[in-house]
Each structure stands twice: as C-alpha cells, then as structure tokens.
Amino acid sequence: MSTGHAPDIDRLIQLLGKLPGLGPRSARRAVLHLIKKRDPLLVPLAEALATVRDRVRTCSVCGNADTVDPCSLCADPRRATGTLCVVEDVADLWALDRSDLFTGRYHVLGGTLSALDGIGPDDLSIAPLVDRVRREAIEEVILALNATVDGQTTAHYVTERLASTGVRVTALAHGLPVGGELDYLDDGTLAAALQARKSL
Amino acid sequence: MSTGHAPDIDRLIQLLGKLPGLGPRSARRAVLHLIKKRDPLLVPLAEALATVRDRVRTCSVCGNADTVDPCSLCADPRRATGTLCVVEDVADLWALDRSDLFTGRYHVLGGTLSALDGIGPDDLSIAPLVDRVRREAIEEVILALNATVDGQTTAHYVTERLASTGVRVTALAHGLPVGGELDYLDDGTLAAALQARKSL
Ligand SMILES: [Zn+2]
Ligand SMILES: [Zn+2]
C-alpha cells in the first residue's frame, strides 16, 4: 500500500499512533495538523519533547517523574511536611495533585504487590517509605491506592511494615468505585474519599 | 492549581493537547505513557518529530507534503503519467493514495475558492495546474474535490480554466455524501465514486 509520503513521515505517524488515545487514523490527522502548523506547533512540540527526553528523571525523594530532582513538589517549601500521601504510580500522584485537595508530600510505590505478576515488596518503594517516615518525622501516612484487590492487599502490607514507626496510617475512604482506577475519578469523588479517610 | 511537575512537562502536555483527537486529559496520559516508555517510544518519537520538523517541505511539483522534493509520489517511476488527480489538500491526497485506487499523479490545489473566506483563484495552485497539464502532456484530469458548495464551485472553475488545454476533465461521481469530506470516506465509497467518474 502506498502512503503518499516518505518513510520519515510514516515513522512519525506510526510512533504517534502508539500513544494512548491516538489510533493510526488520528495519528495521520495529527501529523497533517503538525505539518500545517509548523511554526506554532510542530517546532515547539519537537523542542518540548526533546527537553523532556533529555531531562526527565525519577525524583530520588518521592518517585515522581519530573525534569528536576528533587521534583517540583518535593522542592516546594509551601507544601506541608508531616503528611505523606502514598500512591501506586506517577499518574495517580498527578491526578491527586491536580485536584489541589492535598497539600502535603507524596510517595510513589511504583506499583502494587501482585502474586500473578510476581511483584513482591522489594520491587516496590516500601523500604524507602519506612525510612522516609522515620527520617522526616512523618505524623500521618495516607494510603491513596486503587480500590482493586492488589491495591488493598498492598495497603494492608504497607500498614504492617509501618507499624514499628508508630506513624498514623489512614486510607482513602471507600466511596471509590470498587475496581475503579483512582486516576479516572472526578475531583468531587476524590475530595469525599480524602475527607472521609479512616485509620487502618 | 498545582500540576505535580515542572514547567517543561506541563508545556509538553499543553502542546500535545493541541493535536486533533487529544484533549488535556489524554495529553497528560500520553505524556505519562511517554515517560514510562522512554527508550522504546519517547526517544524515537522525539527523533522522528525533529526529522519531520527539519525536512518537511511542500513538493514543488504537486504540492504534497513530504521530506523530499519532488515528493515520494512524484519521484516514483512506477506511477502512471498522463493522469492527474486534483485534490483540495494534502489530507485528501493521503486518503486517496492510501486506498490504492489511483495509480497516477496528484495535484494539490491548496484549498477551494471561497467568497466568504476571500480565497480567489490566485490563492490556489490553479495556474501551476494548467502549466503542468500542458508540460506533462496530461490526458485526463480527475477532480477529486469535496462534495461541498465551495468544492463544486472550484471544480467548475478549474474545468473552465483547463478548457483551452483540451484535456479531458472528469470528476468523482456523486455517491459521495453531500457535504461530506472526502478524507472521511471508506475505501468502498471512494472506489465507487472513482469508477463512476464522469466528464464535466
Ligand atoms: Zn519528589
Ligand atoms: Zn509531488
């Protein structure tokens, strides 16, 4: 099949089509749009992408993805110390942070325990969490994990691991739809779950 | 509102969100996906985008967008000479070419005549089309313009301008949904319209 263009353009279409939300057809439209809007869109997008490619890293404190380390959140002196919100991944951190409901600090586990996928405690950032709770004199750890079986198993395990520190451990209230992904919730649901959080 | 990340990442989200088919939410998911798939996706995508940014140009022969000039289609010796398919824009060229129904050469007008938008004959690639028909000894010009009022007005105007060359001018058969954009049609509809094309 002919494509009407050289391999360079075809390659861009194929790579864009791998982004979630863009299929092959919309990737083609996106590339046509980029070619049409060369100066206002293609040029700045290429630069922004190269910048993120060159600078993105995992925050050594909390596990967030950012172009600075410590990340913008960890480096922000306006954020409250003393409370850590524990999330499964960076998408959840961004979702919570966008809601502006939580003004403390975060900790990214990097996943959940999963017997099926062979993910054990050492594959997650649990030991660093325990260290952090002691070192930063944390008073409350809020577990904001997905309401999935693996998420809840992980919540219980993390609670046990934190027991020796004496920190107060809370979890987002149920109110999250069971099996629901935190990342997809609206701010209202998130707010309700956060306010009704309970001790574990 | 906090975003959970530095301005570099925010800028990438905002630029990606300007692509057709991607809103702010899906752009954020796309960036998270890119960060997670740094080596297999972010790195090659950044490179592909830079390549297209640096090399994309308008074909001096047909008006196609490509990274080479003449474009891949104009340079392809397997494509039939003698028949030109005239389209409004590059998106239409790619759509037709993907269908593999037409094996001749193309000519991109760059739009349609539009009194409302103040687009006249000199704003379109009409004079170059007439030159091309003479120079390349074209036997048939197929007008593959959208079935819109402006598209059909343009078809009539182009037909008049080509009259002096003696070339046979045909147009895609109606069968295109009225008001429909050629770019959105399935291959079957395109095939029917192409086969039933008629002289103007
Ligand atoms: Zn951080
Ligand atoms: Zn060309």
Side-chain angles (χ1 to χ4, degrees), chain B residues 42-121:
Chain B
L42 172 53
V43 170
L45 180 61
E47 198 189 317
L49 207 59
T51 301
V52 169
R53 175 198 62 198
D54 294 341
R55 296 198 195 152
V56 74
R57 64 205 68 202
T58 299
C59 174
S60 56
V61 178
C62 75
N64 188 15
D66 208 340
T67 53
V68 284
D69 182 16
C71 75
S72 319
L73 292 180
C74 286
D76 184 349
R78 293 164 306 179
R79 297 199 72 98
T81 53
T83 311
L84 277 187
C85 184
V86 173
V87 292
E88 288 179 20
D89 58 29
V90 174
D92 293 337
L93 188 162
W94 290 9
L96 264 172
D97 201 55
R98 229 158 38 238
S99 73
D100 265 339
L101 298 165
F102 177 70
T103 54
R105 315 255 163 170
Y106 290 91
H107 191 88
V108 179
L109 286 183
T112 51
L113 298 173
S114 168
L116 212 64
D117 298 333
I119 299 174

Side-chain angles (χ1 to χ4, degrees), chain A residues 59-64 68-75 93 106 132:
Chain A
C59 175
S60 56
V61 178
C62 75
N64 188 15
V68 284
D69 182 16
C71 74
S72 319
L73 292 180
C74 286
L93 188 162
Y106 290 91
R132 230 184 130 186

Side-chain angles (χ1 to χ4, degrees), chain A residues 148-167:
Chain A
T148 54
V149 172
D150 284 344
Q152 298 308 301
T153 304
T154 308
H156 283 111
Y157 181 81
V158 169
T159 305
E160 276 171 32
R161 285 284 296 267
L162 287 170
S164 63
T165 67
V167 73

Side-chain angles (χ1 to χ4, degrees), chain A residues 5-198:
Chain A
H5 39 73
D8 292 330
I9 292 180
D10 216 38
R11 182 162 166 73
L12 179 56
I13 293 172
Q14 277 170 20
L15 288 166
L16 271 180
K18 290 184 181 172
L19 293 180
L22 280 184
R25 194 183 191 98
S26 44
R28 212 179 300 117
R29 300 205 139 246
V31 169
L32 283 162
H33 188 74
L34 283 167
I35 289 174
K36 209 177 267 182
K37 307 262 178 193
R38 192 185 181 283
D39 288 339
L41 190 53
L42 172 54
V43 171
L45 179 61
E47 198 188 318
L49 207 58
T51 302
V52 169
R53 175 199 61 197
D54 295 341
R55 296 196 195 153
V56 74
R57 65 205 67 201
T58 300
C59 175
S60 56
V61 178
C62 75
N64 188 15
D66 207 342
T67 54
V68 284
D69 182 16
C71 74
S72 319
L73 292 180
C74 286
D76 185 349
R78 293 164 305 180
R79 297 198 73 98
T81 53
T83 311
L84 277 188
C85 184
V86 173
V87 292
E88 288 179 18
D89 58 29
V90 173
D92 294 336
L93 188 162
W94 289 9
L96 264 170
D97 202 56
R98 232 160 34 239
S99 73
D100 265 340
L101 298 165
F102 177 70
T103 54
R105 314 256 163 168
Y106 290 91
H107 190 87
V108 179
L109 286 184
T112 51
L113 297 174
S114 168
L116 212 63
D117 298 334
I119 299 173
D122 292 345
D123 301 314
L124 304 178
S125 179
I126 295 176
L129 170 64
V130 177
D131 285 349
R132 230 184 130 186
V133 166
R134 292 190 205 275
R135 199 176 57 241
E136 298 182 18
I138 302 297
E139 286 155 19
E140 179 180 0
V141 168
I142 303 175
L143 300 177
L145 304 179
N146 288 329
T148 54
V149 172
D150 284 344
Q152 298 308 301
T153 304
T154 308
H156 283 111
Y157 181 81
V158 169
T159 305
E160 276 171 32
R161 285 284 296 267
L162 287 170
S164 63
T165 67
V167 73
R168 182 177 174 225
V169 181
T170 60
L172 294 190
H174 278 290
L176 314 196
V178 172
E181 304 264 331
L182 202 142
D183 188 23
Y184 275 103
L185 297 180
D186 60 291
D187 289 358
T189 311
L190 275 174
L194 191 71
Q195 275 154 26
R197 67 184 183 271
K198 50 182 184 173

